[in-house]
Amino acid sequence: MKSTDQPPAIFIMGPTASGKTDLAIALAEQFPVGIISVDSAQIFRQLDVGSAKPDVETLSKYPHRLINIRDPSEAYSVVEFIRDAREEMVSITNAGKVPLLVGGTMLYFKKLLEGMAELPPANWEIRERILKRADNEGWPVLFKELRKHDPRAASKIHPNHSHRIQRALEVFYITGETLSYRQSKSPTSGIIDDYNIAQIALVPKDRRLLHSRIEERFHHMMAEGFEHEVQLLRLRGDLTKELPAIKSAGYRQLWQYFDGDLCIEEAIVRGIFATRQLAKRQLTWLRGWSDINKLYIDDSNKFISTNNLCDQVLKILESSSILNLER
């Protein structure tokens, strides 16, 4: 970490169920921070239980910015996140506090740090046309079309990744330029040169413990009304399984249950598996991440307490040139 006159910021990253939110709140009790959520599911209103969103009482005491900012019927792009996060960071800094960004959507963190190519906002008329074609013709046909127009982008997309196929075609239809060309253009600047950032990652020594916590948390969410939450989303009548909100881990599987494709027991098993796969992808992101301080969340077959993790973070911050904390 470097010594500069840049304003400080803190990143708390890690896989789902690693204790990021509890740690952020513990840090908020130690010194003035402004918490910014970096979570692609928690941005949606009505996705509360299944996204492990902090409860109303917690949010009242420790406000999280960029939570509940979109309806589940809407999309939210990485470009929009970068814009919103930068605005919130400036607001927090100007208020004399430290931006504390916490979450598990690693793509958001990465692009906020490094910047990215300017892409057009979603065009719902074009998007609906693509989705209608997918229903009628199938995603393999659209993937073949993408390979024709933009073979470079198609080579980086799995043929079954419908959302990425849809977005690549959408960019082409809106702009007349391929996604790969747009991404090759000079990217928007990231915040890495604007802030002095302490990047902290919560990681497991033993993934089996994390998997166990994921399963336990999923069952707790079911007990807290996750099934009813998804049922209410379906009753709205304007949401489909193709929307980003409904594709979130857990929501997709319970949606399939209400579609009659799965029994509830199978939906739970698949939801737990999908959440574990999400954690695996998040850890893969972190494996090659530079300039991070890794904190292990477990030791000797048990989880380390939030207070212990908080003390470790404070030592990192106090020993660095990033923050001069007065507690």
Side-chain angles (χ1 to χ4, degrees), residues 9-30:
I10 306 167
F11 285 5
I12 301 293
M13 305 176 286
T16 185
S18 59
K20 300 182 296 295
T21 298
D22 289 343
L23 176 57
I25 290 171
L27 289 169
E29 292 176 342
Q30 297 290 326

Side-chain angles (χ1 to χ4, degrees), residues 97-229:
K97 296 183 177 183
V98 178
L100 172 57
L101 290 85
V102 56
T105 303
M106 301 304 168
L107 180 62
Y108 284 5
F109 275 118
K110 192 75 169 177
K111 297 304 181 182
L112 178 63
L113 271 176
E114 300 178 353
M116 66 178 294
E118 289 280 5
L119 295 177
N123 181 305
W124 285 102
E125 181 179 347
I126 290 176
R127 182 167 294 186
E128 287 296 325
R129 193 159 69 231
I130 293 171
L131 294 176
K132 186 174 181 179
R133 283 190 58 199
D135 287 339
N136 293 334
E137 304 172 40
W139 285 107
V141 172
L142 292 180
F143 183 69
K144 184 177 180 180
E145 182 174 326
L146 177 62
R147 282 196 304 183
K148 175 183 175 182
H149 294 305
D150 191 356
R152 184 176 176 184
S155 70
K156 300 177 181 179
I157 299 175
H158 191 280
N160 293 333
H161 204 311
S162 58
H163 179 69
R164 293 186 64 189
I165 296 170
Q166 163 250 298
R167 180 57 175 157
L169 285 173
E170 182 180 313
V171 169
F172 178 72
Y173 294 150
I174 292 172
T175 67
E177 298 175 336
T178 64
L179 176 64
S180 58
Y181 171 73
R182 301 280 295 198
Q183 290 176 333
S184 70
K185 297 171 73 173
S186 298
T188 57
S189 61
I191 65 166
I192 196 164
D193 294 323
D194 300 329
Y195 288 85
N196 211 9
I197 307 167
Q199 299 185 63
I200 296 161
L202 303 184
V203 297
K205 283 184 178 179
D206 186 347
R207 288 199 190 186
R208 292 173 299 179
L209 282 176
L210 180 63
H211 287 176
S212 177
R213 179 184 273 184
I214 287 171
E215 181 175 357
E216 180 180 329
R217 189 177 72 166
F218 200 96
H219 285 296
H220 176 73
M221 290 192 301
M222 293 299 295
E224 290 293 307
F226 188 16
E227 180 181 342
H228 182 60
E229 179 172 278

Side-chain angles (χ1 to χ4, degrees), residues 15-64:
T16 185
S18 59
K20 300 182 296 295
T21 298
D22 289 343
L23 176 57
I25 290 171
L27 289 169
E29 292 176 342
Q30 297 290 326
F31 63 97
V33 298
I35 301 175
I36 301 174
S37 172
V38 186
D39 189 296
S40 60
Q42 293 183 0
I43 62 170
F44 295 112
R45 296 183 288 273
Q46 295 183 269
L47 270 66
D48 300 326
V49 178
S51 70
K53 192 179 294 177
D55 59 31
V56 174
E57 183 179 353
T58 300
L59 291 176
S60 176
K61 190 174 182 181
Y62 305 100
H64 286 49

Side-chain angles (χ1 to χ4, degrees), residues 298-309:
D298 58 289
D299 189 36
S300 301
N301 296 317
K302 65 179 181 180
F303 286 106
I304 295 172
S305 70
T306 299
N307 288 338
N308 187 309
L309 291 172

Side-chain angles (χ1 to χ4, degrees), residues 284-323:
T284 299
W285 273 98
L286 289 171
R287 191 176 301 126
W289 207 280
S290 60
D291 298 324
I292 61 172
N293 298 274
K294 290 186 178 181
L295 295 185
Y296 289 106
I297 61 175
D298 58 289
D299 189 36
S300 301
N301 296 317
K302 65 179 181 180
F303 286 106
I304 295 172
S305 70
T306 299
N307 288 338
N308 187 309
L309 291 172
C310 183
D311 288 342
Q312 292 185 60
V313 172
L314 292 174
K315 288 178 181 177
I316 291 171
L317 300 178
E318 291 173 336
S319 65
S320 73
S321 58
I322 284 187
L323 298 177

